[in-house]
Amino acid sequence: MTKVRWGVWGCCLLTILLVMPVALAPACTGDDDDDASDDDAVGDDDTDDDTSDDDTSDDDTSDDDTSDDDTSDDDTSDDDDDDDTGPGRPYTPACAGASGPPSFAEPDLPADGEGPFAVGESEMTFTDESRDREINTTIYMPQPKSAAAGPYPVVVISHGFTSFRSTVVPYGERLATWGYIAIVPQLPYTNFLQIGKVNHTESAKDILFLLNSACAASDESSGLFAGKVDKARLATLGHSLGGKLSILAALLDEGVAAVAGLDPVDGAGPIDSDDAERFPDASERVADEMRIPSLYLGGTKGKEPATGNQACAPEDDNYLTFYGAAPTPTEQITFIGANHTDFISPIPLDPCNLGDADEETVMARSMEYVTAFFNHRLLGFDDYAADYAGTGIDQDVTDGIVTYSVK
């Protein structure tokens, strides 16, 4: 069954109409459009500037109680390629056959700040000729200081509908300091201007195409990815529609070993369509098809009307719907007073961030929890398990910042 809801789509349309003259240029700095003609092609050399990002605000917010629970000690660094009940690797064949421990040891650093790596930033365009799609990306590559030179796990980080990659760049910058190659795409055909070409299944395949391309490039003797990709440790992360697409990618191909959603929203948006191929109901599929660890973050305000009677993250389609359907191991973290876009970089005149929570605190804690989740579930660093669903998060619960649950 295809869900048809305006929710965040209507919210984003209003935002576009209000801020297009002001926000489009800075949000799209460089090449954040769908036209890839002026970007570097795959394999071209790029910039390699050092970038370390930071950011970690403190707490403060409303009060509330909550869950406790410890998370399990599951490993999950490797995916099981022999599970013949899974989808196989139809979209990531170049990533098959890898196994073994991570290339670097567990850092003795807290998850609420930067990791032990410097960061190089590059622009690259990936072209899928078989589907006639070009994907502009920003790539954040770990640069070893005293740490190992790779290979590194890869995370594709996806923006929401009618949004821009710049909104999720802080997650890429932060994860790269922890030894992850972060690929941040401007996904084609995910905005109102190309509404007839919006196709959630194809967009999920774009994410998988990026992972497969990185794996293939890792086998080359030269280039940005040469020898750098840990093929056993691939993950997806996304906000809003990007969260749904990240989850869909994990359902379509078992090359994905862990997935996290930043207030993911299911549904077809303003398109009145029963086309389950274009707009699959991802949350319904999660119960039967999810075979990897998953994490879902959201806020208490996202389900409330933001424009007229429209919610930015409708209750029937939000992160709790995904969490409720997801099999173990999975965790959800609810930010008290947070709205839908408090999890990403600010957008001017955005009606979807009118919550009560401090936005910097939400963003800082989100990056902390996501980092701890991937460190634990993707790399097998067990000391980080409690930082997103255990004793390490209890102070945030006491301070009224979040509640959480685990299964």
Side-chain angles (χ1 to χ4, degrees), residues 42 126-135 202 205-206 209 213:
V42 176
F126 294 81
T127 303
D128 185 347
E129 295 180 353
S130 67
R131 296 187 302 134
D132 192 26
R133 293 169 84 89
E134 289 186 332
I135 311 169
E202 291 303 313
K205 290 178 184 178
D206 288 341
F209 175 73
S213 298

Side-chain angles (χ1 to χ4, degrees), residues 54-271:
D54 44 89
D55 159 288
T56 307
S57 320
D58 357 25
D59 4 14
D60 199 18
T61 8
S62 22
D63 45 320
D64 241 86
D65 51 22
T66 197
S67 341
D68 35 273
D69 271 289
D70 260 48
T71 188
S72 53
D73 269 0
D74 305 349
D75 46 353
T76 324
S77 31
D78 294 0
D79 216 338
D80 185 359
D81 289 334
D82 299 324
D83 181 3
D84 55 13
T85 63
R89 292 176 181 263
Y91 304 105
T92 62
C95 304
S99 62
S103 65
F104 53 93
E106 181 169 345
D108 185 20
L109 291 169
D112 63 357
E114 293 184 353
F117 293 86
V119 179
E121 178 181 348
S122 303
E123 300 292 317
M124 186 176 285
T125 294
F126 294 81
T127 303
D128 185 347
E129 295 180 353
S130 67
R131 296 187 302 134
D132 192 26
R133 293 169 84 89
E134 289 186 332
I135 311 169
N136 295 329
T137 68
T138 304
I139 297 164
Y140 298 94
M141 181 72 70
Q143 305 289 330
K145 295 175 183 175
S146 56
Y152 305 115
V154 181
V155 183
V156 176
I157 307 171
S158 301
H159 60 80
F161 183 70
T162 70
S163 191
F164 309 102
R165 55 180 156 165
S166 56
T167 61
V168 291
V169 153
Y171 291 89
E173 293 173 329
R174 174 62 61 81
L175 286 170
T177 72
W178 285 88
Y180 298 88
I181 298 172
I183 302 176
V184 185
Q186 184 65 37
L187 293 172
Y189 312 122
T190 54
N191 61 63
F192 270 106
L193 301 179
Q194 298 167 314
I195 199 73
K197 294 185 177 181
V198 174
N199 184 316
H200 294 180
T201 299
E202 291 303 313
S203 292
K205 290 178 184 178
D206 288 341
I207 293 171
L208 294 168
F209 175 73
L210 293 173
L211 289 173
N212 192 63
S213 298
C215 289
S218 185
D219 293 334
E220 301 294 329
S221 59
S222 62
L224 183 65
F225 291 100
K228 291 291 196 295
V229 175
D230 184 342
K231 298 179 181 181
R233 295 175 174 85
L234 311 176
T236 55
L237 166 68
H239 173 254
S240 193
L241 172 62
K244 174 185 178 176
L245 300 179
S246 298
I247 294 161
L248 271 179
L251 300 178
L252 290 172
D253 192 290
E254 61 190 44
V256 180
V259 59
L262 305 169
D263 210 13
V265 178
D266 203 357
I271 303 173

